[in-house]
Amino acid sequence: MMQIDEIDNINQQIIDDDDNAAIIDSDASDIDEEEASPLLSALDDLESRVVTALNEFKSHPGTVGSTATSAGSVKQSIHQELASILRPVVEVSAHTGPSTARALASSYPQNYTIEMCVDEIYTRINSELILPVILESAQSDTIPAKRSASLALFHTLHSEWCKAGSYLDGSTSAPSLAGPYGPGISPGSGHVSAPPFNPAEGQRRNQIKSARRAELLRRWVQSAIPNLTPGTFTNATLDASAAGRGVLSASAALKPCLRYMAERIGSADDAGALRLFLPVMRMIEGVLGRIFLERTRGGESTSMDKKGQVEGDALRSSCIKFLEIVVLCFSKKELPFQAASRMKKDNVANDFSLEDLPPGHPIITRESLEEIGDYAFSTLRGLVLLGGQAAIDPNLLLAAAASSSSGSNFMGGSNPFTPILDILKPAALAFLNFETDAEKAEAAGGDKNAFTLDRANIELDFGLSQKSYSLSINAIQMLATKRPVYFKESSVCLARRAIDPPGTSDNDGVLLSKAAITGIRTHLRSSCLTLLRHFLSVTSGSWEVLADALKQAGMETQADRALKASKQQLNLMKGGRAARNRAAVFYEWDTSADDSRAAKRQRDTDDAQARVRAAKMARGLGSGIQLPTSMVDACELVLLNLDNLPPKRPPVASSKQRKQPIDLDFVVDAVVSNGASLTMEENHWYDRDGGDGWAIEEGEVGEDGRPVLTFKMNSSVLDAGMKIAQGEKVKDTEKAFAEQSKLASSMAFSRVLMSSSNARSSAVADFGKQIAARLALTLEGVKAASEIERSHVMTVEAVESSIKKNAETEEELAGALEFALENPLVSSSLAYDLTPKGLSSDENEVSNAAASTSALAMRILNEAYVCSFNEDKAKYEKCLDLFVSSVVNACDLSNQNPKDNERKRIANAAASSLPHQLGAAPFLTPSSLNLVSSLCDIDEVVKKFSTKTPSQTIAEAAAARTAKAAAEKRATAALLILRDVAFQRDALRGSAVDCAVAIASGRLPASAQIEDKALKLVMNVIFPKNVDCADKVITSAAKELEFATRFAIENHEKIKKANEASARKKEKHGYSSKSALAPQSDEEKQALDRVRKPVVLVMALAVRRPEIIKAIMENGCRDGADVLAKAIRTNMPKLARAAATKHGAAKIAVQVADMASKKEAPLLICFLDNLVTAADKSLPSQELIDACQEIQKARLDADGKPDIRYIMPVVSGIKRVELLKELPDFVKGSDEILKTALHRMSERLGRYSMIFRDEPDPTENTLRGMSSCEQMVYLHQLDFHAIGIPQKRYLDVIRVCLEDDEVFNDRVVQAALDYISGKFLEGESLPLAYMRTIILTCSKHESLHSWICHVLLPRLVEGQVHSDKRQWEGWMRCAKMLENTGDQGISSLEAIEKLPEEQKKMYRAKYPKK
């Protein structure tokens, strides 16, 4: 909403204006500024999208939705459904947030920096909203599925944040390109040069990136730890499910955490690495506890129970996979005896080894981590060889479980590695004991490959199922190939298990079926074969045990081939380059078949295409070629291709052969026109070079050595042309000649235009456009050729659209439309560069688009301007209107389809070059400026692209933001054009200001943001420029105010009827309007919105030119302009305060009063009333009071007396003794005037409302205003006979006050009655209306019954109220009303009993006791 106090800078040329700043409401300015902040609006929008998704996630029941799926669709699982709900959270967190920050920084560079936007959005959206909420859900949600979704979201966020343009962008190391400060480098984008950047700023950004990465990883680890704790859910199945998801999350988080810790250690940030290391160790401890400590924690027996083993196998499989990752990360890639330079580096980004961990940290050392890795590897070998975990000493398990539960190791140490080793070491040693015994038996037997375990005597804590067994085998095989240090041990382990496979003992049948045993045996053999094929099997010496295992399994042939391949691979690695080139690696099982028929057919096709290309190259024509820039090279190319021309010309529709010989000109035309000149149309008798109409004759050689050339036209052709030009009657042949001439002209013009646009030489292009401009204005009535007809149609449509939008310039645009239809070549030329060509544009085309548009359009305009001197004076104006309409139409088409990159490029180029073109134009017209103003009509576009839906993708949202920003940029360019015209062209200054003011006032359509910019442009740029600009602004604003007044008057009856209907409806339902200035109906609301903007604009100008206030009041008081008057009253407070701040309240009050006529008195009183508001803490100044009293004396009412209404605004500052003199005048007025005056008197005496104040110094009257209690007292004490008012009015005034119980409540009335009764006891007489007021109070305020019965009535008896007959009558009536109230303890009997005996008898005689 456009407000006066929102006037600010529009660009770097716009400065703040202190005068206008006075209009700003100090209490609401900060709020308005926040509401108008683009950054805060973007934050609110992003937060709303995230909160919507999170609320939906939080309220999800955790079960799959019951909605039916469409035919053919697959029903989603609960995890997929929850992931889809959280998808908007991921998009906003990782992509929409950073892209929004970049868009804000680029769109508002004066207000925001990219760092400010990124930091604010990250803090508000991620750090304070998404991460805490997801962490809380992952740790404490009671539904396992939602916990799983929260854990998975951390992994998804980490992956998305690492993508190009996001917070952890790893696509580039350039600080100016890396996200979130840049778009990053997407895969496949190639090399991108980074803009120069300050190294210090780049270092700071890297530090912030590291902190954000640490925050995400730390919360990720923290989310997994609670799920690994036993007893998360009382149900064992749910607990195992949550633990399984926690293990998966820990598996995904381990490597990123280790890589981050390595970076911190490498940067000498030991504390930063340790802060993440400790939670990671707790996480590892939690996972290991779930696999090795479950039996001890759950109190299970040591017997193997098949049902229990099966239920825990899913969790166990996840833990085995995690154990594999631990070994992989906590081990070295290279063998101890090999140098790093000799090993082939594994550059996989997702890998981590101990070589990646820098040395130097006091706690996180390679040796400590390697110890964990060795024990974990031994545990994995034991799982494979034994088919499960060997039984561990229960005492050790209990101690490890106790240390895991307490969070510290059971030995009381502080080493973070100890709890992990307390779990892994017993598990590994339990297996190593059996392995050592078996190896000793092997050595005693003499067979080095014999390895026999007494499985019948081996007790297992748990056994492996087929799934967990396969994962263990895969882990051993992967570690053998990825970590050479474990290759031999892995090979021996798999070979021994292949020799003694599952199924040979009773223990293997607990969890494994026969099919599972067969599958595991096959898996073991294939793993042995894979390792045997690896060259490390030869170097490590493990090939013997692998080959022996395969031979015992009946795979001797395969073992021999694999061993041969491994040896050959090793030889190639050791040999030189020549040996590797001569080597012919051949596997018998990898034979290649003969060429298939499909491959042969493909080769034949490729050969045919190659032959076609060769033929085209030989001819030099084919699909057409462009001649080289060098004339020498071009001639050489043509001459070389002369021999390749076919012996015959291409056939044409007619059987007649062309008479033109095949010479050099013929070939050059064919090459230049891409073969178009070889095509002949049957009805076109002319040739490309002008046909036979012209003949060239060579004369004598001149002094310069060149022959004189003479051009002659065929006489018959000339005669036919003369007849047609003079309008004489022509023959059919001559008529056909005329049509063919126009067609030839059209074709020739099209070729000239297209050649000039495609020319590589700028000089040739400029010359061609100069010729095209001259021809376009010369060839009147010639239709546009098919190649450029689209441009003509676009121009016509543009003018027709402009006529619909600009009703004020309909006559001028109608003439331009007629001109376009009569001169198609002119309209085609003006819109040629604005018409999409359907070709992909490169960077050169984009950069030269503006120049291309400018060159051709300006040529046409200049030619039209020259022609207007001798011919049609309006030709230039029509051409200008056509061109501007085309530019506006191009922008509108781009707004309608933001995905069309070609139209967007054209619109941006046209809008950016339009200010320069119009600045260089000979002169402009008011109609052209109105057309320029229509560029601001983007309200629908802004609303369309600002509306977001949950289903909107990131790309669609980005395209919408880009389109919206481009439209606003083009609209801003239109405002800049109006500014330049107002500053540089005196003749059109008024028209430019009219357009700018019309946009600011809302009469010309524009978006809210553009209206605000137009208002700032008018107020802060044009108005302060000079006196003439200021006068033009005021004149235009007065016009807009007049338009608003007419609008209000024209819609008066319509609004009146709507208000009456709305009032009847509200009355029917018991509703009442809270504010008199609020719209009573929808029609009135729309009308108020329409007239409010010009009112605000004129008021802003009135602060600087107070004489304009006269126009505001004059228009607001016109008959039927009620809506305008309401808008003026609504915005009057800001005008009054701003004018008082700038000019002084007293001065501006007198000045406005002098300008206002009698008819404008209501708005004058409104202005004076708003000079002093209740929000001001200080009393009105004495100068303002004197000014209002002076105005009162000068402006008399109908009776010729000073109008009391003019001092009402300042009565709160007038002394009370003076108010007593004015009080009779207020009483004589209407009830509304009286109530307003009383309210003004007491508005600053709220805490004294129930007090009758006494003068501090009786000799000096200093009290100002009049409290509510004082008002009630003084109204009772009025001498109505003396002031000349009827008694009825005197009584009615008091009644009116009593009815206003919000001001004169029971406590105020009690205080007034109490004060009067006290004075009565002091000897003063009671006012006439006193007892009447008590009776009315009894009826209205039951809360005062007790006080009246027990205090007031006895007090009046004490003062001998019976001495006054009228008051005594009232006392008796009041006592009768309260004698039998029915309320316990409330009765006037006590007061009655205090009456003298005579008065008591008189009372009982009149009111007998019942």
PDB file of all heavy atoms in Angstrom, residues 32 97 152 277 356 363 401 631 772 859 861 970 1009 1069 1110 1174 1315 1343 1372:
ATOM      1  N   ASP A  32       6.183  -0.097   9.260  1.00  0.00           N
ATOM      2  CA  ASP A  32       5.960   0.037   7.822  1.00  0.00           C
ATOM      3  C   ASP A  32       7.226  -0.320   7.056  1.00  0.00           C
ATOM      4  O   ASP A  32       7.178  -0.933   5.993  1.00  0.00           O
ATOM      5  CB  ASP A  32       5.533   1.471   7.483  1.00  0.00           C
ATOM      6  CG  ASP A  32       4.158   1.777   8.054  1.00  0.00           C
ATOM      7  OD1 ASP A  32       3.445   0.797   8.377  1.00  0.00           O
ATOM      8  OD2 ASP A  32       3.817   2.960   8.186  1.00  0.00           O
ATOM      9  N   GLY A  97      16.502 -21.010  -0.583  1.00  0.00           N
ATOM     10  CA  GLY A  97      17.069 -19.996   0.304  1.00  0.00           C
ATOM     11  C   GLY A  97      18.269 -19.285  -0.291  1.00  0.00           C
ATOM     12  O   GLY A  97      18.290 -18.055  -0.404  1.00  0.00           O
ATOM     13  N   ALA A 152      16.696 -39.540   8.005  1.00  0.00           N
ATOM     14  CA  ALA A 152      17.043 -39.533   6.583  1.00  0.00           C
ATOM     15  C   ALA A 152      17.150 -38.120   6.038  1.00  0.00           C
ATOM     16  O   ALA A 152      17.913 -37.860   5.103  1.00  0.00           O
ATOM     17  CB  ALA A 152      16.011 -40.329   5.787  1.00  0.00           C
ATOM     18  N   PHE A 277      34.288 -34.772  17.362  1.00  0.00           N
ATOM     19  CA  PHE A 277      34.833 -36.108  17.548  1.00  0.00           C
ATOM     20  C   PHE A 277      34.164 -36.841  18.712  1.00  0.00           C
ATOM     21  O   PHE A 277      33.864 -38.036  18.617  1.00  0.00           O
ATOM     22  CB  PHE A 277      36.347 -36.010  17.768  1.00  0.00           C
ATOM     23  CG  PHE A 277      37.002 -37.325  18.047  1.00  0.00           C
ATOM     24  CD1 PHE A 277      37.180 -38.248  17.033  1.00  0.00           C
ATOM     25  CD2 PHE A 277      37.434 -37.661  19.313  1.00  0.00           C
ATOM     26  CE1 PHE A 277      37.776 -39.473  17.272  1.00  0.00           C
ATOM     27  CE2 PHE A 277      38.034 -38.877  19.571  1.00  0.00           C
ATOM     28  CZ  PHE A 277      38.211 -39.794  18.549  1.00  0.00           C
ATOM     29  N   ASP A 356      44.361 -39.701   5.313  1.00  0.00           N
ATOM     30  CA  ASP A 356      43.678 -38.406   5.183  1.00  0.00           C
ATOM     31  C   ASP A 356      43.632 -37.639   6.493  1.00  0.00           C
ATOM     32  O   ASP A 356      43.238 -36.468   6.508  1.00  0.00           O
ATOM     33  CB  ASP A 356      42.239 -38.619   4.685  1.00  0.00           C
ATOM     34  CG  ASP A 356      42.203 -39.274   3.320  1.00  0.00           C
ATOM     35  OD1 ASP A 356      43.103 -38.990   2.518  1.00  0.00           O
ATOM     36  OD2 ASP A 356      41.273 -40.085   3.066  1.00  0.00           O
ATOM     37  N   ILE A 363      44.686 -35.902  20.898  1.00  0.00           N
ATOM     38  CA  ILE A 363      43.769 -36.996  21.235  1.00  0.00           C
ATOM     39  C   ILE A 363      43.437 -37.828  20.004  1.00  0.00           C
ATOM     40  O   ILE A 363      43.507 -39.062  20.041  1.00  0.00           O
ATOM     41  CB  ILE A 363      42.485 -36.432  21.872  1.00  0.00           C
ATOM     42  CG1 ILE A 363      42.814 -35.723  23.188  1.00  0.00           C
ATOM     43  CG2 ILE A 363      41.459 -37.543  22.099  1.00  0.00           C
ATOM     44  CD1 ILE A 363      41.621 -35.081  23.850  1.00  0.00           C
ATOM     45  N   ALA A 401      28.566 -52.902  29.165  1.00  0.00           N
ATOM     46  CA  ALA A 401      27.212 -52.344  29.127  1.00  0.00           C
ATOM     47  C   ALA A 401      27.051 -51.241  30.154  1.00  0.00           C
ATOM     48  O   ALA A 401      26.405 -50.220  29.903  1.00  0.00           O
ATOM     49  CB  ALA A 401      26.190 -53.451  29.377  1.00  0.00           C
ATOM     50  N   MET A 631      38.014 -10.886 -49.351  1.00  0.00           N
ATOM     51  CA  MET A 631      37.560 -10.990 -50.738  1.00  0.00           C
ATOM     52  C   MET A 631      38.440 -11.934 -51.540  1.00  0.00           C
ATOM     53  O   MET A 631      37.966 -12.665 -52.419  1.00  0.00           O
ATOM     54  CB  MET A 631      37.536  -9.600 -51.379  1.00  0.00           C
ATOM     55  CG  MET A 631      37.029  -9.599 -52.817  1.00  0.00           C
ATOM     56  SD  MET A 631      35.348 -10.257 -52.944  1.00  0.00           S
ATOM     57  CE  MET A 631      34.459  -8.961 -52.128  1.00  0.00           C
ATOM     58  N   ALA A 772      17.657   0.142 -46.137  1.00  0.00           N
ATOM     59  CA  ALA A 772      16.355  -0.430 -45.796  1.00  0.00           C
ATOM     60  C   ALA A 772      15.413   0.636 -45.255  1.00  0.00           C
ATOM     61  O   ALA A 772      14.217   0.651 -45.578  1.00  0.00           O
ATOM     62  CB  ALA A 772      16.528  -1.549 -44.769  1.00  0.00           C
ATOM     63  N   ARG A 859      17.235   4.460 -37.631  1.00  0.00           N
ATOM     64  CA  ARG A 859      17.292   4.806 -39.059  1.00  0.00           C
ATOM     65  C   ARG A 859      15.901   5.126 -39.591  1.00  0.00           C
ATOM     66  O   ARG A 859      15.701   6.107 -40.316  1.00  0.00           O
ATOM     67  CB  ARG A 859      17.905   3.645 -39.855  1.00  0.00           C
ATOM     68  CG  ARG A 859      19.387   3.456 -39.657  1.00  0.00           C
ATOM     69  CD  ARG A 859      20.167   4.566 -40.292  1.00  0.00           C
ATOM     70  NE  ARG A 859      21.610   4.354 -40.182  1.00  0.00           N
ATOM     71  CZ  ARG A 859      22.527   5.238 -40.559  1.00  0.00           C
ATOM     72  NH1 ARG A 859      22.126   6.400 -41.066  1.00  0.00           N
ATOM     73  NH2 ARG A 859      23.802   4.970 -40.442  1.00  0.00           N
ATOM     74  N   LEU A 861      13.256   6.088 -37.827  1.00  0.00           N
ATOM     75  CA  LEU A 861      12.757   7.312 -37.211  1.00  0.00           C
ATOM     76  C   LEU A 861      13.410   8.548 -37.811  1.00  0.00           C
ATOM     77  O   LEU A 861      12.752   9.570 -38.047  1.00  0.00           O
ATOM     78  CB  LEU A 861      12.989   7.268 -35.697  1.00  0.00           C
ATOM     79  CG  LEU A 861      12.177   6.224 -34.917  1.00  0.00           C
ATOM     80  CD1 LEU A 861      12.555   6.247 -33.449  1.00  0.00           C
ATOM     81  CD2 LEU A 861      10.682   6.458 -35.076  1.00  0.00           C
ATOM     82  N   ARG A 970      12.108  -3.592 -16.285  1.00  0.00           N
ATOM     83  CA  ARG A 970      11.621  -2.876 -17.470  1.00  0.00           C
ATOM     84  C   ARG A 970      10.689  -1.739 -17.068  1.00  0.00           C
ATOM     85  O   ARG A 970      10.715  -0.657 -17.670  1.00  0.00           O
ATOM     86  CB  ARG A 970      10.920  -3.858 -18.407  1.00  0.00           C
ATOM     87  CG  ARG A 970      11.848  -4.881 -19.041  1.00  0.00           C
ATOM     88  CD  ARG A 970      11.161  -5.647 -20.144  1.00  0.00           C
ATOM     89  NE  ARG A 970      10.177  -6.578 -19.635  1.00  0.00           N
ATOM     90  CZ  ARG A 970      10.408  -7.849 -19.367  1.00  0.00           C
ATOM     91  NH1 ARG A 970      11.623  -8.343 -19.545  1.00  0.00           N
ATOM     92  NH2 ARG A 970       9.466  -8.647 -18.927  1.00  0.00           N
ATOM     93  N   GLN A1009       4.665  -1.943  -6.226  1.00  0.00           N
ATOM     94  CA  GLN A1009       6.059  -1.515  -6.083  1.00  0.00           C
ATOM     95  C   GLN A1009       6.403  -0.411  -7.075  1.00  0.00           C
ATOM     96  O   GLN A1009       7.103   0.549  -6.736  1.00  0.00           O
ATOM     97  CB  GLN A1009       6.991  -2.710  -6.272  1.00  0.00           C
ATOM     98  CG  GLN A1009       8.463  -2.385  -6.033  1.00  0.00           C
ATOM     99  CD  GLN A1009       9.337  -3.606  -6.155  1.00  0.00           C
ATOM    100  OE1 GLN A1009       8.880  -4.665  -6.521  1.00  0.00           O
ATOM    101  NE2 GLN A1009      10.615  -3.460  -5.863  1.00  0.00           N
ATOM    102  N   HIS A1069     -28.296  -8.658  11.259  1.00  0.00           N
ATOM    103  CA  HIS A1069     -27.477  -9.590  12.026  1.00  0.00           C
ATOM    104  C   HIS A1069     -26.928  -8.980  13.309  1.00  0.00           C
ATOM    105  O   HIS A1069     -26.143  -9.624  14.024  1.00  0.00           O
ATOM    106  CB  HIS A1069     -26.303 -10.088  11.178  1.00  0.00           C
ATOM    107  CG  HIS A1069     -26.724 -10.918  10.001  1.00  0.00           C
ATOM    108  ND1 HIS A1069     -27.112 -10.355   8.794  1.00  0.00           N
ATOM    109  CD2 HIS A1069     -26.860 -12.268   9.857  1.00  0.00           C
ATOM    110  CE1 HIS A1069     -27.433 -11.320   7.947  1.00  0.00           C
ATOM    111  NE2 HIS A1069     -27.287 -12.493   8.566  1.00  0.00           N
ATOM    112  N   LYS A1110      -6.003  24.011  -0.177  1.00  0.00           N
ATOM    113  CA  LYS A1110      -7.250  24.602  -0.654  1.00  0.00           C
ATOM    114  C   LYS A1110      -7.924  23.694  -1.667  1.00  0.00           C
ATOM    115  O   LYS A1110      -9.145  23.455  -1.601  1.00  0.00           O
ATOM    116  CB  LYS A1110      -6.960  25.979  -1.264  1.00  0.00           C
ATOM    117  CG  LYS A1110      -8.102  26.599  -2.053  1.00  0.00           C
ATOM    118  CD  LYS A1110      -9.283  26.942  -1.163  1.00  0.00           C
ATOM    119  CE  LYS A1110     -10.376  27.649  -1.962  1.00  0.00           C
ATOM    120  NZ  LYS A1110     -11.582  27.909  -1.158  1.00  0.00           N
ATOM    121  N   ALA A1174      -4.655  12.802  20.415  1.00  0.00           N
ATOM    122  CA  ALA A1174      -4.503  12.195  21.739  1.00  0.00           C
ATOM    123  C   ALA A1174      -3.160  11.510  21.892  1.00  0.00           C
ATOM    124  O   ALA A1174      -2.693  11.268  22.998  1.00  0.00           O
ATOM    125  CB  ALA A1174      -5.631  11.195  21.979  1.00  0.00           C
ATOM    126  N   TYR A1315     -19.112  15.100  45.486  1.00  0.00           N
ATOM    127  CA  TYR A1315     -18.569  16.457  45.611  1.00  0.00           C
ATOM    128  C   TYR A1315     -19.692  17.472  45.829  1.00  0.00           C
ATOM    129  O   TYR A1315     -19.603  18.352  46.711  1.00  0.00           O
ATOM    130  CB  TYR A1315     -17.774  16.814  44.364  1.00  0.00           C
ATOM    131  CG  TYR A1315     -17.201  18.217  44.393  1.00  0.00           C
ATOM    132  CD1 TYR A1315     -16.018  18.501  45.073  1.00  0.00           C
ATOM    133  CD2 TYR A1315     -17.870  19.269  43.760  1.00  0.00           C
ATOM    134  CE1 TYR A1315     -15.501  19.783  45.105  1.00  0.00           C
ATOM    135  CE2 TYR A1315     -17.368  20.550  43.787  1.00  0.00           C
ATOM    136  CZ  TYR A1315     -16.172  20.805  44.458  1.00  0.00           C
ATOM    137  OH  TYR A1315     -15.671  22.087  44.503  1.00  0.00           O
ATOM    138  N   SER A1343     -24.619  -0.725  40.864  1.00  0.00           N
ATOM    139  CA  SER A1343     -23.438  -0.797  41.725  1.00  0.00           C
ATOM    140  C   SER A1343     -23.397   0.348  42.737  1.00  0.00           C
ATOM    141  O   SER A1343     -22.678   0.255  43.747  1.00  0.00           O
ATOM    142  CB  SER A1343     -22.168  -0.765  40.865  1.00  0.00           C
ATOM    143  OG  SER A1343     -22.117   0.417  40.079  1.00  0.00           O
ATOM    144  N   MET A1372     -37.580  11.781  48.343  1.00  0.00           N
ATOM    145  CA  MET A1372     -38.567  10.770  48.704  1.00  0.00           C
ATOM    146  C   MET A1372     -38.744   9.748  47.572  1.00  0.00           C
ATOM    147  O   MET A1372     -38.878   8.540  47.828  1.00  0.00           O
ATOM    148  CB  MET A1372     -39.907  11.445  49.018  1.00  0.00           C
ATOM    149  CG  MET A1372     -39.914  12.206  50.334  1.00  0.00           C
ATOM    150  SD  MET A1372     -41.584  12.720  50.835  1.00  0.00           S
ATOM    151  CE  MET A1372     -41.979  13.879  49.533  1.00  0.00           C
TER     152      MET A1372
END
